Amino acid sequence: MEKMARVTTALGGNTITGRTMFCHLDAPANAISVCRDAAQVVVAGRNIFKIYSIDEDQFVEKLNLRVGRKPSLNFSCADVVWHQMDENLLATAATNGVVVTWNLGKPSRNKQDQLFTEHKRTVNKVCFHPTEVYMLLSGSQDGYMKCFDLRKKDSVSTFSGQSESVRDVQFSIRDYFTFAATFENGNVQLWDIRRPDRYERMFTAHNGPVFCCDWHLEDRGWLATGGRDKMVKVWDMNTNRAKEIYCVQTIASVARVKWRPECKHHIATCSMMVDHNIYVWDVRRPFIPSAMFEEHKDVTTGIVWRHLHDPYFLLSGSKDSTLYQHIFKDASQPIDRANPEGLCYSLFGDLAFAAKESLISSDSNRKPYIGDRRHPIFFKRKLDPTEQFEYISSSSALSVFETDLESGSMDWFVRTAKQYVLAGRPLAELCDHNAKVAKELDRDQVAQTWTMLRIIYSSPGTVPSANLNHSLGKGSTSLPLMNSFNLKDIPPGIGNESRLERSKGESRSENILMDSSSTLINNDENEETEGSDVPADYLLGDVEGDEDELYMMDHENPHAEEQEYILPQEAFPLRHEIVDNPSALDHLQDKADSPHVSGNEAETVSLTPVESFSLISISHSLYENRLPPDFFSPIVRDMLLFYAEQGDVQMAVSVLIVLGDRIKKEIDEQTQEHWYTSYIDLLQRFQLWNISNEVIKLSTCRAINCLNQASTTLHINCSNCKRPMSNKGWICDRCRQCASMCAVCHHVVKGLFVWCQGCSHGGHLQHIMKWLETSSHCPAGCGHLCEYT
Amino acid sequence: MIVAGSDCCGGTGIKGYLPCEQCGDLRTKEILQEGTERAQRQLFIEAFVSAGRVDNITMVMGLHPEYLASFWKTQYLLLRLDGPLPYHKRHYIAIMAAARHQCSYLVGFHVAEFLKVGGNPGWLQGLHCAPQKLRNLNEINKILAHRPWLITKEHIEALLKTGENSWSLAELIQALVLLTHYHSLASFVFGCGINLETDQEGGHAFQPPSPRSCDSSPASEDGVSGSSGKDAMQEVEVLMARMKLLQECQLEEEGVTQEEMETRFELEKTESLLVAPSVDIAEHALPPNVLCFVEDPEFGYKDFTRKGEQAPPTFRAQDYTWEDHGYSLINRLYPDMGQLLDEKFQVVYNLTYNTIAMHSGVDTTMLRRAIWNYIHCVFGIRYDDYDYGEVNQLLERSLKVYIKTVACYPEKATRRMYTHFWRHFKHSEKVHMNLLLLEARMQAALLYALRAITRYMT
């Protein structure tokens, strides 16, 4: 009673003060322990055994217990513990297996009191009974735990774990007779001190050694364990079976755990290797430590709370030969730096996003997305009155973004992928075909790009003019864009053939112009466009109808309003925000520059520079000279980059494949590889295996090409026991029979194997075919009437 | 648990193949057909399908199926499963490691494997033709093979410092495991006198004789005449008696001071100096196809406590243990490997059939621990909690000579040495000893290397 009173007065009198401080030791520490009055600390290691007093702002060495000229191995401590009842009593565990007690009250220089040499191997841990003065417990590498009565020369009782080395022993704080022991094989045992013959309870706590354990200071049933598997687990021992109630995953194996006084859910840990920090976790929040002490430069080997009832002072010793006092105030708190955010997609493509309220509100100038139907939900964490410490009240906002189904659909992607033809025909045909495909899917911009590519790259000789004329006559069906150029550009009286060529020349020359100035709006036509008052809404809205008009346009009646239609883009419903923009062109440019965050980036409206050049150029006067296709490579390259940037990697890759060597040199290998891999990944996500394989085959990148050669393994099951055949041979390792035997010749089939889906017998293709020509029964004799078709 | 008492191994089936290993693959078939020990057979099949052959190493290790399983898993992960290093480099590192000990068996095997996985044949002309990155590994290879205690964090730093030929930490860990694995495997190959298989190049040529005796166990009957046979019997009895004595003594013997323990370790250390192999063994000329992978061939094992020299500080086992530190580090950088190595060390350390020569039901823990700790002692690792006096009691001189030779300069091991220790023990027990040797050596080298990495990282 008297002792308890002293403790409280000590606290009440505010004797524990101090700051974060450290002192250098002469050697690495293995363990530390603190005196009951929180004024002294003992540090023990292989080459050190000293007592320091903890002053206001420094550690002062009070006593060196390593005496003698050539200290024996008994001083080489693996662990040390200071008795919590008697401030003169210490015990150490020596690496050579000796348990030593020390009496500071001895008048001589050598304070060594008693020597127990009963363990055969290193003693890993010693522990005093929390209330009994003379009871000492030890756990050793040899698998035994021994209980010593300090009044006797030998151990009172020996407990055999029957499993491997003992790593930690701890008396329960509340149950007088109980102690816990942890083992190298992952087990934890509970013992009754009166019954050395058998443990009370055993359970497997960790995978691999359990390095440490600690009983909760208040909650009698709670035991925390830390293991090599990088986990800290909290067990509730009140029930019949030990129940894991909390689990904290750390980044390195856990060397020590210590419950924080006065904080029910807090626990301090340090690690055995690699990680030098000390963490204090709230076990209910296992993903981020609530406090972190980062002072040590080598692994921390011992941690101890300075006072049993004071949660703010932590002492630690380390391999870097320092002893630290950490003050909670100075701890770094990762929680403060973290921005807790959650993001999740629902089954139907809705996106939920939760973040700290402060973060969201501070960003108020951000425009809400269209289609963002926000359901803000705020919830406030109720403050736990017992946790008066470092909880900042936090509230978060949850937003849900609903995607409307149609725009989220990737139908166009699948269909495009399926219908595009990438090889096997002349370039012009490929381009035409692909343009058509794109057109059918209402992706006019893409269609136009294809057409442009065709114009640029297929030499005029390959496209007979008659053909063109023909298509011209037929209207806008097969080559819509081409026709429109011709119609628009050609002044009356010039023959069809030259018209085509000139228009091409024209578009090229214009491209040069555009290239050098690198802006979009630099010709008369565009100014006109800008000047018009037609609402952008209308301009971009109903594309279908407009296009027809565009293509059928009469060159003799150029009309300002109709010129607008050169601008229509992909024909999916556009977002409303566009209406706000005063000028359609400006807007489109903006678009190209600013990344548009939306659920369906792939379909963002886009206008390629290439396209607009060509369209705009149409009305200019004609040029006669022609430029080689190489000339356009930079533009085509920019176009590809643009598509890829927009998220339409499909287009980029398709063009890349179709153009092949014509463009390959322009784009560096890595970018190409990146595109290919993204496209292949996309295709595979849509389960378009055939197409992805085709793309792999057609690609000119070596890295991509060899994808087809990787993972060609085929996993098979044994035909007898239906288990997977793990080996590469033809013998099943379970039933020891040859799998996949031919039912006709009874040899192993190593190649094409054909089997009946009815009776699952089969064999060599040739044999089965032959057999079934003459017989309709299964060759295996099972009586099934097999059929070969 | 796989039950494969050495008795049964010494019985039918397996016993036959031990003395005449040259007929490797042919015998494999026989063993497969005979259907001896089920588990063992299973392992051989596994080994066969994954490597395309059952090499002699596997056959010899097959005497201890429990260990073989663990060994195979590790080697499989090391060579054939996903890892930071490309396959051909792994084999090349294996070649470099084996060449350090002039083990033409392993070199030949991995040269073939190297080509099989598509390695550049040009590299095989010698180390000078390999990429600089691999050549940089040579220094550490040399040290780990012969004097692992010399490895420092500067070596690690040199390899990891950024540059064109730098190693990543994960790659380096795999390389280190490979190196130590093959150094100690070379010990095993020489220790058991494993010869080339017939189909390998030179397999038919004359080989230095296998240390194995020709027929039945006990292993050394051929070399020992009747009277000395009795001596051998007595040796076993003496050993048994000593073990018993030590076990009983343990409780009484408290009078030993710490100082004495200390001196006992030093004694053992210095005594191991005297246990150098006799010089009379002619250095057999190395085939050039092995020598070309070795730079600085003069660098060899050197006792770390030479008279008049400052001895490097003793490695205290308790300060850097495999279980606590080594495992944690490896597992962090090369995830599955830590687990497998841990299992392998445990299996070999705990492997026992409770037999000694013709006695059964013996607790051999002490003997095994003595061997293990003696090997670590030879490499300068000291256990505080071990009385090195026991080593002297339990290990006879000829055994010590053998252990030291095989662990430190395996290329000098001879058949005579093999027959001269433990003359009345079975082959399988001698192989067991060699397994302990292999693993203890590997662990010792790994501990030094990992400690250097830890120091580099902090």
Side-chain angles (χ1 to χ4, degrees):
Chain A
M1 239 9 253
E2 193 193 313
K3 272 165 193 156
M4 281 305 292
R6 238 191 283 164
V7 169
T8 30
T9 41
L11 264 181
N14 237 351
T15 48
I16 299 185
T17 52
R19 56 181 187 93
T20 297
M21 58 184 185
F22 75 101
C23 75
H24 282 291
L25 312 171
D26 315 323
N30 277 345
I32 61 172
S33 186
V34 74
C35 180
R36 178 190 51 179
D37 62 7
Q40 293 180 81
V41 60
V42 57
V43 183
R46 174 172 291 282
N47 294 313
I48 182 171
F49 190 21
K50 283 182 180 171
I51 290 175
Y52 288 87
S53 74
I54 312 167
D55 289 359
E56 184 75 10
D57 48 8
Q58 61 178 337
F59 289 102
V60 177
E61 182 180 329
K62 278 199 66 182
L63 190 61
N64 187 357
L65 291 157
R66 264 177 90 84
V67 289
R69 280 177 60 90
K70 202 181 173 220
S72 77
L73 274 176
N74 292 347
F75 289 98
S76 162
C77 306
D79 191 35
V80 64
V81 63
W82 203 318
H83 205 297
Q84 291 305 302
M85 304 292 293
D86 183 345
E87 52 200 35
N88 278 331
L89 201 53
L90 284 112
T92 57
T95 49
N96 61 353
V98 181
V99 175
V100 194
T101 60
W102 310 79
N103 186 356
L104 300 182
K106 270 193 174 181
S108 65
R109 250 185 90 225
N110 191 348
K111 312 283 187 193
Q112 185 171 317
D113 195 17
Q114 264 178 297
L115 216 61
F116 302 100
T117 49
E118 294 191 27
H119 284 294
K120 289 191 202 111
R121 306 281 307 268
T122 300
V123 178
N124 288 317
K125 194 77 190 175
V126 281
C127 176
F128 278 116
H129 196 278
T131 48
E132 200 62 52
V133 179
Y134 297 108
M135 205 185 284
L136 175 69
L137 189 66
S138 67
S140 153
Q141 197 75 15
D142 60 13
Y144 292 100
M145 293 141 280
K146 284 178 191 284
C147 184
F148 303 98
D149 185 327
L150 300 186
R151 291 162 296 196
K152 293 181 184 164
K153 254 186 76 193
D154 295 321
S155 63
V156 186
S157 43
T158 301
F159 311 86
S160 166
Q162 300 291 355
S163 38
E164 281 180 58
S165 314
V166 187
R167 296 310 296 247
D168 198 357
V169 283
Q170 291 289 342
F171 275 111
S172 166
I173 293 180
R174 295 299 165 87
D175 292 329
Y176 185 89
F177 296 112
T178 308
F179 73 89
T182 71
F183 291 85
E184 204 146 79
N185 59 3
N187 287 343
V188 171
Q189 294 178 355
L190 286 196
W191 289 80
D192 187 315
I193 204 93
R194 296 161 298 186
R195 287 197 59 191
D197 54 329
R198 217 191 124 68
Y199 53 80
E200 298 276 282
R201 199 194 289 183
M202 177 167 87
F203 61 94
T204 303
H206 289 267
N207 183 11
V210 191
F211 287 139
C212 50
C213 65
D214 196 31
W215 290 96
H216 199 281
L217 302 169
E218 301 151 29
D219 228 311
R220 57 193 293 144
W222 284 15
L223 180 73
T225 58
R228 196 172 70 178
D229 58 0
K230 308 179 189 170
M231 309 251 225
V232 178
K233 291 180 179 174
V234 180
W235 304 87
D236 184 355
M237 313 293 267
N238 291 322
T239 46
N240 272 338
R241 277 188 64 221
K243 203 173 96 204
E244 183 188 325
I245 45 176
Y246 295 112
C247 178
V248 177
Q249 177 91 47
T250 65
I251 57 167
S253 44
V254 181
R256 311 256 186 222
V257 290
K258 277 274 177 283
W259 287 102
R260 187 174 173 200
E262 312 280 307
C263 298
K264 191 175 169 195
H265 291 103
H266 282 202
I267 191 163
T269 69
C270 65
S271 72
M272 181 73 82
M273 277 292 285
V274 189
D275 185 17
H276 311 158
N277 298 340
I278 303 165
Y279 301 101
V280 179
W281 302 86
D282 184 324
V283 288
R284 294 164 303 180
R285 193 169 192 179
F287 304 106
I288 188 161
S290 75
M292 218 162 109
F293 300 103
E294 300 165 303
E295 280 86 1
H296 284 298
K297 300 200 170 46
D298 201 339
V299 282
T300 312
T301 46
I303 47 175
V304 59
W305 295 95
R306 188 168 155 192
H307 193 276
L308 203 57
H309 294 280
D310 185 309
Y312 299 110
F313 292 84
L314 181 72
L315 301 170
S316 71
S318 157
K319 277 233 168 94
D320 64 6
S321 306
T322 55
L323 172 68
Y324 257 94
Q325 171 169 273
H326 309 276
I327 307 296
F328 227 77
K329 213 167 63 232
D330 299 338
S332 84
Q333 304 197 342
I335 281 181
D336 291 349
R337 278 176 276 142
N339 287 326
E341 289 177 338
L343 186 73
C344 191
Y345 262 116
S346 86
L347 186 60
F348 303 107
D350 294 355
L351 181 69
F353 172 69
K356 246 183 175 166
E357 204 185 339
S358 51
L359 280 176
I360 288 186
S361 55
S362 71
D363 212 3
S364 55
N365 57 349
R366 198 171 56 191
K367 261 191 226 153
Y369 305 130
I370 310 296
D372 158 17
R373 263 150 257 160
R374 269 195 194 191
H375 306 290
I377 304 164
F378 294 92
F379 38 93
K380 230 178 180 103
R381 181 177 186 141
K382 213 182 140 205
L383 280 177
D384 189 343
T386 59
E387 309 273 343
Q388 65 275 60
F389 301 111
E390 69 287 322
Y391 267 115
I392 314 149
S393 75
S394 63
S395 62
S396 28
L398 176 73
S399 326
V400 178
F401 304 93
E402 288 175 1
T403 22
D404 68 274
L405 276 179
E406 233 162 88
S407 65
S409 131
M410 289 285 277
D411 237 16
W412 62 271
F413 176 87
V414 177
R415 285 179 59 191
T416 313
K418 279 185 183 159
Q419 291 174 19
Y420 267 1
V421 177
L422 301 177
R425 292 197 231 163
L427 177 68
E429 274 180 50
L430 291 178
C431 289
D432 286 347
H433 176 89
N434 293 344
K436 208 170 125 196
V437 170
K439 182 79 177 48
E440 273 165 16
L441 290 166
D442 294 336
R443 305 175 70 217
D444 293 295
Q445 188 201 358
V446 174
Q448 285 167 358
T449 311
W450 280 114
T451 315
M452 287 311 303
L453 287 172
R454 177 214 154 118
I455 294 168
I456 292 170
Y457 284 101
S458 56
S459 62
T462 58
V463 187
S465 56
N467 203 358
L468 277 175
N469 283 335
H470 179 59
S471 61
L472 214 163
K474 263 168 69 183
S476 65
T477 46
S478 67
L479 291 168
L481 223 77
M482 187 70 103
N483 293 344
S484 77
F485 293 147
N486 290 339
L487 281 167
K488 260 173 87 180
D489 296 346
I490 302 158
I494 298 182
N496 277 346
E497 269 178 73
S498 56
R499 263 188 246 157
L500 173 61
E501 283 174 16
R502 277 174 195 162
S503 72
K504 275 188 203 157
E506 167 53 32
S507 70
R508 277 162 203 161
S509 64
E510 186 54 32
N511 280 338
I512 312 164
L513 210 158
M514 296 304 294
D515 203 25
S516 55
S517 63
S518 76
T519 46
L520 267 172
I521 327 152
N522 67 343
N523 64 43
D524 310 348
E525 287 248 345
N526 267 317
E527 276 157 38
E528 235 177 289
T529 309
E530 279 180 343
S532 84
D533 285 326
V534 178
D537 184 29
Y538 163 62
L539 175 77
L540 299 169
D542 187 10
V543 183
E544 281 290 338
D546 300 342
E547 262 162 22
D548 282 347
E549 277 181 76
L550 167 68
Y551 298 133
M552 304 312 271
M553 201 197 313
D554 188 355
H555 63 274
E556 278 168 328
N557 304 321
H559 193 277
E561 274 194 40
E562 281 176 347
Q563 294 295 332
E564 306 280 2
Y565 297 127
I566 58 172
L567 291 168
Q569 297 316 310
E570 291 196 37
F572 78 93
L574 290 163
R575 311 246 162 115
H576 285 296
E577 53 187 317
I578 288 165
V579 181
D580 300 335
N581 293 309
S583 147
L585 259 178
D586 281 350
H587 163 72
L588 287 169
Q589 271 192 305
D590 282 350
K591 266 238 137 125
D593 297 339
S594 66
H596 184 86
V597 192
S598 80
N600 40 13
E601 273 175 281
E603 291 134 294
T604 353
V605 183
S606 52
L607 174 65
T608 59
V610 174
E611 189 188 349
S612 41
F613 301 157
S614 54
L615 286 167
I616 289 159
S617 69
I618 291 164
S619 63
H620 270 255
S621 62
L622 305 173
Y623 266 77
E624 292 291 337
N625 42 347
R626 180 184 305 131
L627 292 156
D630 274 358
F631 188 78
F632 298 100
S633 298
I635 297 161
V636 176
R637 183 194 60 207
D638 290 347
M639 182 270 289
L640 290 183
L641 290 172
F642 171 79
Y643 272 113
E645 198 67 17
Q646 289 288 306
D648 189 359
V649 75
Q650 181 178 45
M651 184 66 188
V653 171
S654 302
V655 173
L656 207 56
I657 293 175
V658 167
L659 293 184
D661 288 338
R662 293 177 188 87
I663 194 70
K664 198 186 159 197
K665 295 181 295 292
E666 291 291 324
I667 296 159
D668 68 299
E669 280 270 325
Q670 268 198 322
T671 319
Q672 286 192 33
E673 197 183 316
H674 180 63
W675 289 351
Y676 274 119
T677 43
S678 338
Y679 186 39
I680 289 162
D681 188 42
L682 267 175
L683 287 173
Q684 289 179 347
R685 270 164 202 261
F686 285 100
Q687 310 193 338
L688 300 164
W689 314 112
N690 287 339
I691 297 158
S692 93
N693 259 346
E694 197 191 333
V695 169
I696 291 172
K697 217 170 96 188
L698 289 172
S699 79
T700 42
C701 280
R702 264 188 56 216
I704 300 298
N705 254 325
C706 63
L707 280 181
N708 259 352
Q709 280 138 41
S711 92
T712 49
T713 319
L714 193 66
H715 296 281
I716 49 174
N717 283 5
C718 170
S719 59
N720 297 315
C721 62
K722 311 283 185 284
R723 300 285 188 74
M725 303 261 292
S726 51
N727 293 332
K728 284 174 196 142
W730 300 100
I731 304 170
C732 172
D733 51 355
R734 288 205 173 68
C735 54
R736 287 171 197 296
Q737 290 194 18
C738 285
S740 56
M741 301 272 276
C742 175
V744 180
C745 68
H746 298 286
H747 284 283
V748 175
V749 186
K750 299 178 177 174
L752 281 181
F753 185 84
V754 62
W755 74 97
C756 167
Q757 293 180 338
C759 63
S760 68
H761 289 115
H764 293 105
L765 181 61
Q766 293 297 325
H767 293 167
I768 297 290
M769 272 167 74
K770 233 183 206 164
W771 177 273
L772 289 174
E773 272 169 19
T774 56
S775 164
S776 59
H777 284 274
C778 174
C782 67
H784 187 259
L785 290 168
C786 302
E787 230 176 278
Y788 181 84
T789 47
Chain B
M1 249 286 282
I2 296 155
V3 190
S6 49
D7 280 344
C8 101
C9 289
T12 55
I14 295 304
K15 181 196 88 184
Y17 91 93
L18 251 177
C20 50
E21 269 152 13
Q22 277 91 340
C23 42
D25 281 6
L26 195 132
R27 299 292 309 188
T28 313
K29 279 182 214 128
E30 248 173 72
I31 287 165
L32 289 180
Q33 281 159 7
E34 272 173 22
T36 49
E37 192 66 41
R38 199 187 129 91
Q40 195 176 359
R41 185 169 156 244
Q42 187 53 42
L43 284 167
F44 284 152
I45 294 173
E46 230 162 70
F48 181 72
V49 288
S50 64
R53 59 158 70 237
V54 179
D55 50 19
N56 288 342
I57 294 181
T58 315
M59 306 257 282
V60 175
M61 282 184 186
L63 287 170
H64 305 278
E66 199 187 341
Y67 172 79
L68 179 61
S70 182
F71 178 85
W72 255 98
K73 264 197 270 173
T74 317
Q75 186 158 293
Y76 194 71
L77 174 67
L78 206 51
L79 292 177
R80 291 172 213 281
L81 291 185
D82 280 346
L85 286 170
Y87 297 116
H88 62 282
K89 281 197 183 157
R90 302 184 195 183
H91 289 292
Y92 200 82
I93 292 171
I95 294 169
M96 287 168 65
R100 259 336 301 182
H101 283 311
Q102 308 164 8
C103 183
S104 53
Y105 174 86
L106 289 173
V107 170
F109 183 76
H110 284 283
V111 163
E113 290 286 308
F114 174 76
L115 293 174
K116 220 190 279 173
V117 296
N120 177 2
W123 297 7
L124 295 178
Q125 283 168 22
L127 202 54
H128 57 279
C129 297
Q132 185 62 39
K133 183 169 169 178
L134 285 173
R135 266 153 58 200
N136 287 346
L137 202 63
N138 190 46
E139 177 71 16
I140 221 173
N141 177 24
K142 195 171 80 177
I143 294 176
L144 279 178
H146 306 295
R147 301 173 212 168
W149 54 89
L150 291 183
I151 191 166
T152 60
K153 76 173 187 185
E154 280 73 30
H155 291 117
I156 305 293
E157 223 162 48
L159 285 171
L160 293 179
K161 73 160 181 272
T162 47
E164 206 184 329
N165 300 308
S166 73
W167 289 75
S168 78
L169 205 49
E171 284 175 331
L172 184 63
I173 288 277
Q174 193 184 11
L176 285 176
V177 177
L178 270 167
L179 287 174
T180 48
H181 182 86
Y182 278 96
H183 291 147
S184 34
L185 195 58
S187 280
F188 183 78
V189 168
F190 284 110
C192 296
I194 289 166
N195 286 327
L196 293 176
E197 284 116 55
T198 30
D199 59 335
Q200 280 180 312
E201 203 183 325
H204 285 293
F206 175 76
Q207 296 291 319
S210 154
R212 303 224 161 278
S213 56
C214 282
D215 26 283
S216 60
S217 56
S220 50
E221 248 170 32
D222 56 336
V224 188
S225 63
S227 61
S228 53
K230 256 184 203 141
D231 289 350
M233 292 277 272
Q234 271 170 4
E235 278 167 27
V236 179
E237 299 302 335
V238 169
L239 179 64
M240 292 282 290
R242 277 184 181 165
M243 278 174 65
K244 213 175 217 164
L245 199 71
L246 275 173
Q247 239 145 13
E248 285 159 3
C249 271
Q250 211 132 49
L251 300 174
E252 300 159 20
E253 192 189 11
E254 275 163 32
V256 188
T257 65
Q258 297 309 310
E259 287 69 29
E260 197 172 331
M261 297 287 259
E262 180 100 29
T263 42
R264 279 183 190 176
F265 174 73
E266 294 302 328
L267 193 77
E268 210 51 58
K269 248 187 356 182
T270 38
E271 210 195 65
S272 74
L273 299 183
L274 312 171
V275 186
S278 41
V279 239
D280 60 313
I281 308 143
E283 295 263 343
H284 45 256
L286 267 180
N289 60 352
V290 173
L291 202 59
C292 65
F293 297 110
V294 183
E295 267 172 20
D296 188 12
E298 301 307 310
F299 190 91
Y301 177 86
K302 205 166 139 191
D303 300 293
F304 52 84
T305 39
R306 302 217 129 190
K307 277 176 200 117
E309 273 179 50
Q310 179 63 43
T314 306
F315 188 114
R316 301 299 189 127
Q318 270 85 355
D319 289 355
Y320 200 95
T321 62
W322 163 255
E323 286 80 15
D324 297 1
H325 307 92
Y327 172 90
S328 301
L329 186 64
I330 286 207
N331 223 29
R332 190 181 176 85
L333 298 166
Y334 189 8
D336 297 331
M337 187 45 78
Q339 194 61 43
L340 287 179
L341 285 175
D342 196 40
E343 270 170 36
K344 188 156 71 102
F345 290 141
Q346 264 180 34
V347 165
V348 85
Y349 197 85
N350 296 325
L351 188 71
T352 180
Y353 307 106
N354 294 321
T355 55
I356 279 191
M358 51 286 193
H359 303 271
S360 55
V362 190
D363 180 8
T364 57
T365 320
M366 287 179 77
L367 189 57
R368 284 179 284 130
R369 194 166 165 222
I371 295 171
W372 185 276
N373 287 357
Y374 181 67
I375 297 161
H376 275 190
C377 165
V378 165
F379 286 104
I381 297 178
R382 179 180 175 191
Y383 289 84
D384 285 347
D385 54 0
Y386 188 69
D387 174 9
Y388 284 83
E390 280 182 24
V391 170
N392 246 352
Q393 299 275 310
L394 297 177
L395 307 188
E396 61 194 45
R397 196 181 156 77
S398 56
L399 175 61
K400 277 193 197 165
V401 172
Y402 178 77
I403 288 179
K404 175 123 195 248
T405 313
V406 174
C408 303
Y409 6 72
E411 59 275 12
K412 292 186 181 152
T414 60
R415 177 180 183 153
R416 243 183 80 226
M417 288 182 188
Y418 179 85
T419 42
H420 270 74
F421 79 93
W422 276 4
R423 279 181 290 180
H424 232 70
F425 281 59
K426 289 194 251 329
H427 278 306
S428 77
E429 285 168 317
K430 293 195 173 187
V431 171
H432 184 174
M433 215 287 301
N434 268 296
L435 292 179
L436 273 171
L437 218 156
L438 186 166
E439 294 303 333
R441 181 178 174 198
M442 177 166 181
Q443 199 185 61
L446 259 184
L447 282 176
Y448 277 112
L450 293 175
R451 188 176 65 164
I453 289 185
T454 309
R455 284 181 179 166
Y456 164 79
M457 285 168 76
T458 52

